[in-house]
Amino acid sequence: MKTITPMKAWMAAATADEQATLADHVGTTRGHLYQLAGSYRQASAVMAGKIEAATAEMHKHSKGRLPKVMRTDLCEACRSCQYAAKCLGQRAVVSDFPIVDSRQMELAI
């Protein structure tokens, strides 16, 4: 069974336009976001921070429909950072994102 990453859950919950908006905000492409979501690539610390900020803003604008993705979900360097662990506490290791219906996951693939 494949793990559903927080980024994969975000991509499944987002529309194509929202995915394009995120890609524009962080300076990448939708294709690269899919690579991150599938764990085929890992984001740099800088990109992970941009994704965290952008998804937090989009979470707010969507009234919680879109989950927040933490930088620690996307980047090993951020995950092992003592400052992230100190500032984020338990959120540094586990993101808070809603469970995505398996039908939504099938549509995202």
Side-chain angles (χ1 to χ4, degrees), residues 6-34 36-37 43 46-59 66-70 74:
M7 189 68 200
K8 191 174 235 182
W10 192 94
M11 294 294 282
T15 65
D17 286 342
E18 289 167 333
Q19 293 170 2
T21 298
L22 176 62
D24 287 344
H25 276 71
V26 302
T28 192
T29 64
R30 283 182 63 214
H32 188 236
L33 293 177
Y34 274 105
L36 297 174
V46 171
M47 180 168 285
K50 289 179 180 181
I51 291 172
E52 178 181 67
T55 60
E57 189 65 28
M58 294 175 88
H59 170 78
L66 294 172
K68 298 176 194 174
V69 178
M70 304 299 287
L74 301 167

Side-chain angles (χ1 to χ4, degrees), residues 4 7-15 19 30 34 37 100-109:
I4 297 174
M7 189 68 200
K8 191 174 235 182
W10 192 94
M11 294 294 282
T15 65
Q19 293 170 2
R30 283 182 63 214
Y34 274 105
V100 176
D101 188 311
S102 60
R103 291 180 307 250
Q104 285 178 296
M105 292 305 299
E106 290 170 6
L107 294 173
I109 295 175

